[in-house]
């Protein structure tokens, strides 16, 4: 009983570029059953804002989702320390993985250490709703294995130049969500966001892209809403109503087209389909 | 030369240890010296030099329930090449009963140039027994390259394997002096402490000495390398009640980390 | 003798069992200034092969022998305790178990019909050499081949880490490995013979600096490799 994926009307705000996914078409691969945490990989070049995004999501989901973080940063404990210092996440919820100078290997070719870290989080903390896996900063060719994550977000920044989406590479073309970060810096570095938007769309087809500035939006609300949607989508699609406990029959229509954030989505419970936030200004 | 020696210790029921058996033969002679605390101290008195290649020496030590025995040697043993046979061997077998204590704290074994020596120790410690066991190996007399020396330490605690360690040096041993094994240090050794009265201690490291809690029971191994016998001894002085770190400075994990992490990550 | 391709697959550094993240003490040896160039790397690899390599290869071969024997569970339990007794450093024990867990994950997925349930259940995971013995059995390798995989991994893991940490010329490092091939085979052969002995008599070649390096490495706040 796969419900129709409903998309909000996309309002055109030409000041912030965005992509236009096909209404009614889910561009992503189907998600596995909601018997474990949704695993979302966050990759992208060095310094593009991956850790800042993780911190923003921790803030956004505080009190809403049971969260764990695995960080593969090349200087392993730095990211964990940053998250601890920022006070956004209990250190017990963070695991660091050493990658032996091969950040892409650890997330793509040989994922055991990351899977162990995910398992350890669940063993130590009990069931989780969401595990974010931050890759070490790498180049545009690094992507996560589907054996490790269910969804991947690729973070690039405008300071790397507006040519980055045109270069493509598996991260830009195939990530489930492309985040073009640090839009606040665009005027300073002379990056043309509409060029980036056009190139991203050409590269990515129906896959969504968001532009954001974590400086201006410390809760990374577009990305947080996208994850809420993915969580909700997965729960309603894959968990039979009996197993889902508090599944609500009207769930599939709640929240559609509204700007309300999705209600709390908990693994094992059906949650309403949230509005896909892509392209919302 | 072949020689055997045997030491049997029992508690006499009045807080003292007695030696119902204490015998040896040249070049492996045992001498009891007075000790004030009820335990006994025994010195192993070797020949003028030795063991020589061809020597086959064996010492059995049995420490009965409640007995307390300390074993020392009067001087370092210098393993030397010799005529009669290819290898010198020294085997020590020891059993330590529940409530008994054996402190095996001999002087160093020096592997002289051209020697071929094998030292074997097999120690059984019963549950509740106490053992201090120190091995120190000096690779060559002053400024000399060592011959072949192998020190095998096999210790069981309560019938389970506690420590299995073979350290081998010499011209025919690949990489022994290199950065994976001794890193050019002329002296190396370890001190095993099995003591049911001591609380478990976490691992620690400072320079080239490490404190290693073992997996097979409440026991700790100190392991060290050093430039010379004197420095090594400072690292491997048995801990006392008030001093959990062996001789030398206590570990400073932070400064150690900086010195080791000098490459800057 | 199993098909040689199976041996090559298991020995390949790209076999997904986490090898890329382990330097086997090299990162600490480099930081301590003990390994700086090709010559000191050669000394390091020779020493590893004669100590940790021999022990790992012997235990892997012994576990492989146990895999196809009766009393397999009891033998594996004894091998586990004996290997613990040969690994004085808690950091090294933890690393061996972590690598064993990674290899077990790969083994279970790649050979779903093989049984790994007789491995001792220990909190950190099964020791890597024991797991390798069972994975080798699943792959149809004989004990000598399993020992070869273990000895080969001892030198190639650290050598690859040296290329990454020290920027050494990869051709020269490979030439060093070629020069060490004979020693590697001899170590494996010795380990396979030793594996016919009962567990308590298996090799126990120790390396004081390996313990010291491992404990120092475990205290670092910042490290590139997991060991
Ligand atoms: N101006 C601006 N700076 C940002 C933004 N997001 C992140 N930064 C800054 O960019 C720098 C790098 O951010 P990180 O989050 O550490 O980047 P990263 O991708 O995790 O970096 P690595 O893990 O080293 O690859 C930090 O100084 C952040 O404060 C943004 O939206 N605007
Ligand atoms: Mg980061």
């Amino acid at each position: 009983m796969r419900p129709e994926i409903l998309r909000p009307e996309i309002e055109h705000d030409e000041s912030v570029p965005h992509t236009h996914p096909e209404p009614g078409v889910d561009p992503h691969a189907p998600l596995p059953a909601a018997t474990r945490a949704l695993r979302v990989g966050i990759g992208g070049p060095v310094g593009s804002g991956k850790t800042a995004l993780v911190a923003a999501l921790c803030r956004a989901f505080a009190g809403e989702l049971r969260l764990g973080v695995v960080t593969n940063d090349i200087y392993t404990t730095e990211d964990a320390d940053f998250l601890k210092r920022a006070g956004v996440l209990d250190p017990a919820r963070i695991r660091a993985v050493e990658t032996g100078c091969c950040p892409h290997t650890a997330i793509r070719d040989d994922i055991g250490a990351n899977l162990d870290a995910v398992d350890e989080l669940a063993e130590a903390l009990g069931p989780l709703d969401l595990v974010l896996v931050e890759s070490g900063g790498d180049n545009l060719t690094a992507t996560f294995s589907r054996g490790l994550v269910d969804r991947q977000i690729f973070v690039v920044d405008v300071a790397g130049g507006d040519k980055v989406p045109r270069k493509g590479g598996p991260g830009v073309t195939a990530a489930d969500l492309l985040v073009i970060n640090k839009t606040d810096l665009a005027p300073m570095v002379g990056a043309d966001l509409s060029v980036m938007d056009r190139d991203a769309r050409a590269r990515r087809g129906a896959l969504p892209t968001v532009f954001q500035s974590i400086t201006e939006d410390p809760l990374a609300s577009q990305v947080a809403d996208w994850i809420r949607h993915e969580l909700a989508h997965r729960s309603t699609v894959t968990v039979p109503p009996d197993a889902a406990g508090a599944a609500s029959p009207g769930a599939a229509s709640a929240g559609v087209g509204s700007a309300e954030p999705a209600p709390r989505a908990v693994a094992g419970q059906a949650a309403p389909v949230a509005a896909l936030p892509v392209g919302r200004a | 030369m072949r020689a055997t020696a045997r030491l049997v210790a029992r508690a006499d029921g009045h807080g003292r240890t007695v030696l119902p058996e204490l015998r040896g033969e040249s070049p492996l002679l045992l001498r009891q010296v007075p000790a004030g605390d009820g335990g006994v101290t025994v010195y192993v008195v070797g020949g003028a030099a030795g063991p020589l290649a061809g020597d086959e020496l064996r010492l059995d030590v049995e420490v009965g329930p409640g007995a307390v025995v300390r074993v020392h040697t009067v001087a370092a043993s210098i393993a030397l090449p010799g005529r009669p046979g290819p290898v010198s061997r020294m085997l020590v077998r020891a059993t330590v009963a529940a409530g008994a204590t054996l402190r095996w704290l001999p002087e160093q074994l020096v592997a002289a140039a051209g020697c071929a020596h094998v030292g074997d120790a097999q120690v059984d410690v019963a549950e509740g027994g106490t053992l201090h066991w120190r091995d120190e190996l000096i690779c060559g007399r002053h400024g000399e390259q060592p011959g072949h020396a192998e020190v095998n330490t096999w210790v069981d605690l309560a019938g389970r394997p506690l420590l299995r360690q073979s350290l081998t040096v010499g011209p025919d041993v690949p990489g022994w002096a290199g950065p994976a094994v001794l890193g050019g240090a002329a002296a190396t050794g370890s001190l095993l402490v099995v003591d049911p009265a001591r609380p478990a201690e976490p691992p620690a490291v400072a320079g080239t000495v490490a404190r290693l809690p073992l997996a097979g029971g409440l026991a700790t191994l100190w392991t060290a390398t050093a430039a010379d016998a004197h420095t090594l001894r400072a690292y491997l002085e048995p801990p006392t009640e008030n001093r959990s770190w062996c001789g030398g400075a206590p570990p400073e994990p932070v400064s150690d980390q900086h010195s080791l992490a000098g490459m800057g990550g | 003798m199993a098909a040689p391709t199976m041996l090559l697959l298991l020995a390949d550094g790209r076999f997904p069992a986490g090898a890329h993240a382990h330097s086997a003490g090299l990162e600490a040896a480099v930081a301590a200034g003990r390994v700086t160039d090709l010559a000191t790397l050669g000394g390091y690899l020779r020493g590893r092969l004669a100590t940790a390599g021999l022990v790992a290869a012997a235990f892997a071969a012994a576990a492989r022998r146990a895999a196809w024997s009766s009393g397999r569970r009891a033998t594996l339990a004894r091998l586990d305790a004996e290997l613990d007794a040969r690994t004085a450093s808690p950091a090294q024990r933890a690393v061996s178990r972590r690598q064993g867990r990674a290899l077990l994950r790969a083994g279970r997925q790649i050979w779903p019909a093989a049984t790994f349930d007789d491995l001792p259940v220990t909190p950190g995971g099964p020791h890597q050499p024991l797991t390798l013995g069972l994975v080798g059995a699943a792959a149809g390798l004989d004990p000598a081949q399993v020992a070869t995989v273990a000895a080969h991994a001892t030198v190639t893991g650290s050598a690859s880490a040296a290329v990454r940490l020290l920027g050494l010329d990869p051709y020269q490092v490979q030439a060093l490995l070629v020069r060490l091939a004979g020693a590697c085979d001899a170590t494996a052969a010795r380990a396979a013979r030793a594996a016919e002995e009962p567990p308590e008599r298996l090799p126990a070649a120790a390396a004081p600096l390996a313990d010291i390096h491992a404990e120092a490495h475990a205290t670092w706040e910042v490290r590139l490799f997991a060991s």
Side-chain angles (χ1 to χ4, degrees), chain B residues 22-111:
Chain B
L22 182 71
R23 60 175 173 79
E25 54 188 328
S26 181
L28 193 59
L29 299 166
L30 303 181
R31 296 276 178 271
Q32 183 178 0
V33 301
D37 59 355
V40 301
T41 299
V42 172
Y43 274 81
V44 181
V45 186
L52 300 171
D55 286 354
E56 296 265 350
L57 312 176
R58 172 172 175 156
L59 169 61
D60 285 281
V61 177
E62 189 186 317
V63 188
V68 176
V69 175
R70 281 173 294 266
V71 181
H72 300 282
T73 54
V74 284
S77 314
I78 302 174
L80 292 164
R83 285 265 175 73
V87 181
S88 55
R89 289 182 185 279
M90 169 82 184
L91 167 63
V92 181
R93 299 195 63 140
T95 57
V96 182
T101 298
L102 172 62
R103 298 186 207 280
W104 176 265
L105 302 169
E107 293 305 301
Q108 303 84 357
L109 170 68
V110 181

Side-chain angles (χ1 to χ4, degrees), chain A residues 45-53 73 79 134-137 181-182 184-185 212-215:
Chain A
V46 176
S48 60
K50 298 181 291 298
T51 304
L53 177 59
D73 202 294
D79 282 317
E134 182 192 344
S135 83
N181 191 34
K182 307 193 192 176
D184 57 300
L185 299 182
Q212 75 170 12
S213 160
I214 292 178
T215 315

Side-chain angles (χ1 to χ4, degrees), chain A:
Chain A
M1 47 159 269
R2 187 184 163 112
E4 191 191 358
I5 307 299
L6 297 168
R7 303 279 164 166
E9 272 304 302
I10 292 158
E11 285 173 35
H12 277 243
D13 175 351
E14 294 306 335
S15 71
V16 177
H18 46 263
T19 57
H20 297 180
E22 290 292 308
V25 175
D26 182 2
H28 305 304
L31 283 165
T35 50
R36 56 158 175 77
L38 183 76
R39 303 198 294 241
V40 176
I42 298 180
V46 176
S48 60
K50 298 181 291 298
T51 304
L53 177 59
V54 169
L57 293 173
C58 291
R59 273 183 229 110
F61 293 134
E64 176 185 338
L65 294 178
R66 294 168 298 182
L67 193 64
V69 171
V70 176
T71 172
N72 284 240
D73 202 294
I74 189 162
Y75 296 117
T76 54
T77 52
E78 278 198 354
D79 282 317
D81 286 347
F82 172 78
L83 296 175
K84 290 170 200 170
R85 270 201 312 278
V88 292
L89 199 64
D90 174 359
R93 297 191 166 267
I94 306 169
R95 283 283 185 287
V97 168
E98 294 93 348
T99 63
C101 314
C102 299
H104 52 274
T105 305
I107 60 163
R108 186 183 59 202
D109 313 272
D110 193 351
I111 56 180
N114 270 297
L115 289 171
D116 280 344
V118 171
D119 287 353
E120 282 166 19
L121 282 171
E123 278 159 26
L125 304 168
L128 297 172
D129 304 312
L130 177 66
V131 175
L132 301 174
V133 183
E134 182 192 344
S135 83
D138 207 318
N139 61 28
L140 294 173
T141 65
T143 50
F144 286 85
S145 160
R146 291 280 165 209
L148 174 59
V149 299
D150 308 309
R151 288 286 180 260
Q152 51 190 307
I153 300 174
F154 200 72
V155 183
V156 299
D157 66 5
V158 302
D162 55 23
K163 65 190 182 301
V164 168
R166 186 160 56 244
K167 281 192 186 173
V172 166
T173 51
D176 298 295
L177 180 66
L178 177 67
V179 174
I180 296 176
N181 191 34
K182 307 193 192 176
T183 51
D184 57 300
L185 299 182
M188 280 162 258
V189 298
D192 185 338
L193 298 186
S194 64
V195 167
M196 297 182 92
D197 179 41
R198 187 195 64 214
D199 292 341
R201 228 177 306 168
R203 290 278 172 206
R204 294 175 52 74
L207 291 168
T209 300
V210 299
F211 286 75
Q212 75 170 12
S213 160
I214 292 178
T215 315
E216 288 164 6
D217 176 8
L219 295 180
S221 40
Q222 298 179 90
V223 178
D225 283 350
W226 180 81
I227 290 175
R228 286 187 185 101
H229 173 269
E230 293 301 308
L231 269 168
H233 169 199
R234 176 171 86 144
S235 300
T236 49
V237 170
T238 53
V239 181
D242 322 348
S248 140
S253 61
V256 172
S258 88
E260 299 287 326
R264 181 188 164 92
V266 175
Q269 288 187 354
V273 174
L276 187 76
V278 173
R280 224 167 39 206

